[in-house]
Amino acid sequence: MTEKLFADIEYNLKFIEEQIAKAAQSSGRLREDITFLAATKTVDAQRINFAISKGLRYIGENRVQELMAKYDEYDLKNAQLQFIGSLQTNKVRQIVGKVSLIQSVNSLKLAQEVSKQSQKSGVITDVLIEVNIGNEQSKSGIDKTGLEELLLQVNTLPALKVKGLMCIPPIYDDKTKIIKKFDEMKQLNLDICAKKIDNIDMNILSMGMSSDYYEAILSGANMVRIGSALFGPRLYA
Ligand SMILES: *Cc1c(COP(=O)(O)O)cnc(C)c1O
């Protein structure tokens, strides 16, 4: 059973690597220009570390509690740990210093807390701003229209550094609609870049998951977050 699980992960990893390389090439870039992050929620450390032993270099967790429970087991000599889920202000303290990037900063209040806790720990935390590109009530990102204002507020925080944007688009049956959202994100990234806001980088554009990472890369993503296509369907306890 376990051997089959491992063999599947190894196979999936190779397949995803090939797809990423192809999509990178089709969009005039190199494989190395794209960061492949594995979304590891519900996946045990043994399987995560197996993927790391086969070349995976970035992992991302969604829930602080789960990250803390698995933290001592991750092989972090060979991979970077990031945080990609919605983050409550009162949990920031637990993950600062443990993650190399928080992808889900979506408000001034959260950014202030990340900076405050980072300062306390003597680190600077890299973050992405999560954009609610589909304007969904249920999603936690900042609206497109509020993005610039937020950037102008967080760029003076002493221990937080904005490195780019992240989004989780709405679920559509029609792929052309998802692609439209990816294109909107790329344009947003370019528009913000053109404004040259002090202390704000737009180097990372994190979008695309198991079912649409290929399209996301074609639209300009340089980081994709892939869970089920690598580890199989999630089994919730
Ligand atoms: C779970 C998750 C993913 C990956 O989802 P899959 O569809 O399984 O690839 C990507 N990003 C975030 C924020 C997630 O929570």
Side-chain angles (χ1 to χ4, degrees):
M1 180 63 194
T2 322
E3 264 175 41
K4 166 91 171 77
L5 276 178
F6 284 166
D8 284 350
I9 291 170
E10 191 169 2
Y11 177 89
N12 294 339
L13 193 63
K14 266 200 195 122
F15 178 79
I16 294 165
E17 276 293 336
E18 285 166 13
Q19 294 300 109
I20 292 174
K22 243 200 264 181
Q25 197 184 24
S26 298
S27 61
R29 289 173 295 168
L30 301 171
R31 166 64 191 91
E32 305 87 89
D33 298 331
I34 316 292
T35 301
F36 166 18
L37 173 130
T40 51
K41 56 179 175 275
T42 78
V43 181
D44 56 72
Q46 204 191 1
R47 284 188 290 154
I48 297 170
N49 290 343
F50 175 76
I52 294 171
S53 78
K54 295 296 169 188
L56 182 70
R57 287 295 167 260
Y58 297 86
I59 60 176
E61 288 288 351
N62 273 70
R63 290 174 60 237
V64 171
Q65 199 185 346
E66 185 177 345
L67 181 151
M68 295 306 286
K70 293 194 261 182
Y71 186 73
D72 289 334
E73 296 177 74
Y74 301 123
D75 175 13
L76 295 182
K77 284 188 303 300
N78 294 304
Q80 278 189 30
L81 175 64
Q82 304 188 359
F83 192 78
I84 62 175
S86 64
L87 182 57
Q88 287 169 277
T89 322
N90 62 0
K91 301 214 167 134
V92 168
R93 183 176 46 83
Q94 297 183 60
I95 63 166
V96 158
K98 291 193 168 65
V99 296
S100 61
L101 182 70
I102 298 175
Q103 295 206 11
S104 42
V105 170
N106 55 19
S107 70
L108 178 59
K109 188 169 153 249
L110 182 57
Q112 283 169 332
E113 182 64 13
V114 170
S115 182
K116 183 176 146 194
Q117 295 300 335
S118 301
Q119 238 182 340
K120 270 193 193 168
S121 306
V123 297
I124 290 178
T125 301
D126 289 341
V127 306
L128 304 182
I129 303 297
E130 181 178 353
V131 179
N132 184 0
I133 195 67
N135 275 318
E136 296 170 284
Q137 292 226 314
S138 60
K139 292 263 170 79
S140 57
I142 177 108
D143 280 356
K144 233 171 112 165
T145 50
L147 176 62
E148 189 179 350
E149 190 189 340
L150 179 64
L151 292 171
L152 289 169
Q153 288 170 321
V154 303
N155 73 335
T156 52
L157 293 172
L160 168 145
K161 177 85 179 140
V162 175
K163 294 285 181 181
L165 304 177
M166 177 270 220
C167 77
I168 307 171
I171 296 165
Y172 299 111
D173 293 331
D174 180 357
K175 265 213 172 148
T176 60
K177 288 187 181 159
I178 301 176
I179 293 168
K180 232 181 111 203
K181 290 296 162 195
F182 289 153
D183 290 342
E184 253 181 71
M185 282 295 293
K186 177 63 192 177
Q187 191 56 50
L188 197 55
N189 165 280
L190 291 172
D191 291 346
I192 297 289
C193 263
K195 294 195 163 127
K196 300 196 190 308
I197 303 173
D198 280 347
N199 202 33
I200 298 286
D201 282 357
M202 280 289 126
N203 297 335
I204 302 178
L205 182 56
S206 171
M207 57 186 190
M209 315 202 292
S210 288
S211 57
D212 51 25
Y213 65 90
Y214 196 94
E215 289 81 4
I217 294 170
L218 292 187
S219 293
N222 58 16
M223 179 182 282
V224 291
R225 310 176 310 267
I226 299 174
S228 47
L230 176 60
F231 295 113
R234 280 182 284 277
L235 306 168
Y236 288 97

